[in-house]
Amino acid sequence: MLHGLNHANFSRLDPKKPIVVKAQVLAGGRGKGTFSNGFRGGVQIVHSPAEAEEISNSMLGFSLITKQTGAQGRVCNGVMLAEFHKPSHEYYVAVLNDRVSQGTVLVASAQGGMNIEEVAAKDPAAIITTPIDFNRGLSKPEAISVAQKLGFKDEKTQSDAADIFINLYKLFKEKDATQIEINPLALTSNGEVLCMDAKFGFDENAEFRQKDIFSLRDVSQEEPSEVRARKANLNFIKLDGSVGCLVNGAGLAMATMDVLSLHGGQPANFLDVGGGATPETVKEAFEILLGDPKVRSIFINIFGGIMRCDYIAEGVIKATRELNLKVPLVVRLKGTKEQEAKQMIRESGLKIEAFDGLDEAAERASRLAD
């Protein structure tokens, strides 16, 4: 991947072949996307270093907007150069975890190079799903059988495709991947089987043993507030609503968002502070919530099991004072050290609205955000 471009970058490529310039943006649909400067297409075919430089300059530093990025797009900080190979047929291949079989599967289709969700919706029979034994992996006969079902005609291309399937699963397992998607896998006009484009996802819980993989992470492609939250060990996902949520436990966080929606509110985020939050963590969470200009009220919903309510109350009071909080604050605290926490809030003298009932608290937070 290149973060700039000069003619020397072509030294490893065949000068007689066209070159593909690909915007390195973590989103699908790049080829049909549009950049913030009006330039169309994040995948371009060029025939000279000068043309590649011109195209790259139209991509680098601009946001690419696709069906998967939302209206804001994602900034293109790098491009990849690859030799152009003309596919005679395009396939889709993925290795992923399957909820139905509760195991790993190889998903393949002869209708590659397009949105696989659309293929599955229009023609479910076009999707070939093959369970993979977690310990044994995919055998060569099993892999060749998939290649034959996809329509590879001769023994060589069937074997080449099968080797790719086998190696994809090995990579999936060894690198703690959650999904590996090749779209398209191509049979070229000269009989080669090549992975033309790929998307990888990795289990964040395995970061401690996959440091080489996670060192490649490009945080410029991610929501800044989510990057900051991850550094503070907060489970945070930014949404589009106006009620900032601070909750402990993923289940309670989802329920809180549902109840807010029931009362007409729209959650601005999913935020689970976990069971080991400290007053400092709570303050950091507040700063992240307040960094969203759409937030017009904050709803704190804590069930104190492992988490102590008085720790949350201490963090809330500290954040309210130090951040000079202007946004209305609604708090519901239940469980361990509940009474101590409520006493702390009362004695703080701060304008914090406390409730015992979830419905009442959610309704109030929703109204304050109107």
Side-chain angles (χ1 to χ4, degrees), residues 242-247 253-269 297-299 358-359 361-367 369:
S242 56
V243 182
C245 302
L246 192 158
V247 190
M254 295 296 291
T256 301
M257 293 163 64
D258 287 343
V259 177
L260 281 171
S261 298
L262 181 66
H263 291 286
Q266 293 297 322
N269 62 275
S297 71
I298 294 177
F299 181 25
L358 176 55
D359 275 306
E363 183 178 13
R364 181 58 176 161
S366 299
R367 288 184 178 179

Side-chain angles (χ1 to χ4, degrees), residues 17-288:
K17 292 184 178 180
I19 301 300
V20 182
V21 181
K22 291 188 175 185
Q24 296 301 282
V25 171
L26 294 181
R30 290 172 296 168
K32 296 181 179 179
T34 302
F35 287 87
S36 54
N37 60 355
F39 184 71
R40 293 182 177 275
V43 180
Q44 300 282 341
I45 299 173
V46 300
H47 298 83
S48 69
E51 190 180 357
E53 184 173 15
E54 180 184 352
I55 293 295
S56 298
N57 288 336
S58 298
M59 297 180 177
L60 292 167
F62 298 100
S63 294
L64 179 60
I65 301 148
T66 78
K67 289 184 177 180
Q68 294 186 9
T69 65
Q72 77 282 0
R74 288 187 175 175
V75 66
C76 176
N77 291 322
V79 297
M80 184 181 77
L81 304 181
E83 289 182 359
F84 175 77
H85 292 268
K86 186 174 181 59
S88 61
H89 193 96
E90 296 182 340
Y91 306 85
Y92 173 92
V93 180
V95 180
L96 47 84
N97 291 316
D98 178 50
R99 291 183 178 179
V100 176
S101 63
Q102 297 185 11
T104 307
V105 295
L106 176 73
V107 178
S109 174
Q111 299 182 36
M114 60 185 75
N115 190 320
I116 195 63
E117 288 81 7
E118 293 180 6
V119 174
K122 293 178 181 178
D123 187 9
I127 307 297
I128 302 167
T129 302
T130 306
I132 301 175
D133 183 278
F134 181 80
N135 293 312
R136 180 174 55 83
L138 195 65
S139 69
K140 189 66 178 272
E142 288 172 330
I144 287 178
S145 175
V146 174
Q148 290 172 339
K149 290 176 184 177
L150 288 174
F152 287 95
K153 302 297 184 184
D154 58 80
E155 290 186 4
K156 180 183 183 304
T157 57
Q158 289 173 6
S159 179
D160 290 346
D163 288 340
I164 289 175
F165 304 156
I166 291 167
N167 288 330
L168 286 178
Y169 176 69
K170 288 180 180 177
L171 181 63
F172 180 89
K173 183 178 179 181
E174 291 172 4
K175 295 299 182 181
D176 290 298
T178 54
Q179 177 176 323
I180 295 177
E181 181 181 70
I182 309 298
N183 191 19
L185 174 77
L187 175 62
T188 68
S189 54
N190 62 354
E192 292 181 283
V193 182
L194 299 175
C195 297
M196 304 287 273
D197 205 352
K199 183 187 294 183
F200 292 77
F202 299 95
D203 186 351
E204 292 189 355
N205 294 308
E207 182 174 359
F208 71 97
R209 66 183 179 199
Q210 301 293 352
K211 295 187 183 299
D212 58 332
I213 295 294
F214 282 86
S215 67
L216 302 173
R217 190 169 199 158
D218 181 4
V219 295
S220 70
Q221 294 291 303
E222 302 179 43
E223 166 61 41
S225 57
E226 294 179 6
V227 175
R228 180 178 178 180
R230 187 168 58 247
K231 291 179 180 178
N233 293 318
L234 296 169
N235 298 314
F236 177 87
I237 300 172
K238 189 178 185 303
L239 303 173
D240 294 326
S242 56
V243 182
C245 302
L246 192 158
V247 190
N248 70 314
L252 184 59
M254 295 296 291
T256 301
M257 293 163 64
D258 287 343
V259 177
L260 281 171
S261 298
L262 181 66
H263 291 286
Q266 293 297 322
N269 62 275
F270 170 97
L271 174 54
D272 168 19
V273 297
T278 64
E280 290 71 26
T281 306
V282 174
K283 180 174 179 290
E284 180 74 10
F286 260 82
E287 291 181 353
I288 293 171

